Protein backbone atom coordinates (compact mmCIF):
# COMPACT_ATOMS: atom_id res chain seq x y z
CA UNK A 1 0.00 0.00 0.00
CA UNK A 2 1.32 3.41 -0.92
CA UNK A 3 1.55 6.31 1.47
CA UNK A 4 -0.68 9.39 1.48
CA UNK A 5 2.21 11.28 -0.10
CA UNK A 6 3.98 9.76 -3.09
CA UNK A 7 7.32 11.03 -1.75
CA UNK A 8 6.67 9.07 1.48
CA UNK A 9 6.10 5.64 -0.04
CA UNK A 10 9.73 4.49 0.22
CA UNK A 11 9.89 5.68 3.84
CA UNK A 12 6.67 3.76 4.55
CA UNK A 13 8.11 0.59 3.06
CA UNK A 14 11.33 1.02 5.07
CA UNK A 15 9.34 1.43 8.27
CA UNK A 16 7.02 -1.50 7.48
CA UNK A 17 10.00 -3.77 6.83
CA UNK A 18 11.78 -2.63 10.00
CA UNK A 19 8.68 -3.07 12.14
CA UNK A 20 7.78 -6.49 10.71
CA UNK A 21 11.33 -7.75 11.19
CA UNK A 22 11.45 -6.45 14.80
CA UNK A 23 7.99 -7.83 15.57
CA UNK A 24 8.74 -11.33 14.22
CA UNK A 25 12.36 -11.66 15.36
CA UNK A 26 12.23 -9.90 18.72
CA UNK A 27 8.79 -9.03 20.11
CA UNK A 28 7.13 -12.39 19.43
CA UNK A 29 10.11 -14.14 21.02
CA UNK A 30 9.74 -12.15 24.24
CA UNK A 31 12.34 -9.45 23.63
CA UNK A 32 10.47 -6.25 24.33
CA UNK A 33 13.52 -4.06 24.80
CA UNK A 34 13.38 -0.95 22.68
CA UNK A 35 12.12 -0.35 19.19
CA UNK A 36 14.86 -0.05 16.56
CA UNK A 37 12.40 1.55 14.13
CA UNK A 38 11.69 4.76 16.03
CA UNK A 39 13.91 6.98 13.88
CA UNK A 40 12.55 5.45 10.66
CA UNK A 41 9.01 6.04 11.93
CA UNK A 42 9.75 9.68 12.78
CA UNK A 43 11.12 10.33 9.27
CA UNK A 44 8.03 8.75 7.75
CA UNK A 45 5.72 10.64 10.12
CA UNK A 46 7.28 14.00 9.19
CA UNK A 47 6.91 13.19 5.50
CA UNK A 48 3.24 12.27 5.95
CA UNK A 49 2.53 15.41 7.97
CA UNK A 50 4.07 17.51 5.20
CA UNK A 51 2.02 15.68 2.54
CA UNK A 52 -1.18 16.20 4.53
CA UNK A 53 -0.51 19.93 4.71
CA UNK A 54 0.38 20.15 1.02
CA UNK A 55 -2.80 18.29 0.03
CA UNK A 56 -4.85 20.35 2.46
CA UNK A 57 -6.35 17.23 4.05
CA UNK A 58 -8.46 18.22 7.07
CA UNK A 59 -7.24 16.51 10.23
CA UNK A 60 -8.69 18.76 12.93
CA UNK A 61 -9.59 16.73 16.00
CA UNK A 62 -7.72 13.62 14.84
CA UNK A 63 -5.37 12.08 17.39
CA UNK A 64 -2.23 10.51 15.94
CA UNK A 65 -0.47 7.54 17.50
CA UNK A 66 3.27 7.10 17.49
CA UNK A 67 6.21 6.01 19.60
CA UNK A 68 5.97 7.01 23.24
CA UNK A 69 2.31 8.03 22.98
CA UNK A 70 -0.32 6.41 25.15
CA UNK A 71 -3.35 4.86 23.57
CA UNK A 72 -6.49 6.95 24.07
CA UNK A 73 -8.87 5.64 26.68
CA UNK A 74 -12.07 4.09 25.34
Amino acid sequence: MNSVGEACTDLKRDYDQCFNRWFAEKFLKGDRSGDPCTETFRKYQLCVQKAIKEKDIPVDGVEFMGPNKDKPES
Side-chain angles (χ1 to χ4, degrees):
M1 175 183 267
N2 290 336
S3 179
V4 67
E6 188 175 319
C8 306
T9 298
D10 286 342
L11 289 170
K12 180 186 184 307
R13 287 190 185 125
D14 290 347
Y15 173 71
D16 287 347
Q17 288 176 348
C18 181
F19 177 84
N20 289 334
R21 185 171 41 252
W22 168 80
F23 189 76
E25 296 174 6
K26 302 287 185 175
F27 186 82
L28 290 178
K29 294 179 180 176
D31 182 355
R32 296 186 172 51
S33 61
D35 177 359
C37 307
T38 300
E39 187 60 31
T40 306
F41 177 79
R42 286 197 176 118
K43 289 177 186 176
Y44 173 57
Q45 184 181 41
L46 289 172
C47 187
V48 167
Q49 288 171 348
K50 181 180 176 187
I52 286 172
K53 286 180 184 176
E54 288 173 354
K55 293 181 178 208
D56 200 27
I57 298 172
V59 292
D60 293 337
V62 176
E63 297 277 334
F64 292 97
M65 296 296 295
N68 305 319
K69 288 198 175 187
D70 295 327
K71 290 183 181 178
E73 293 183 26
S74 324

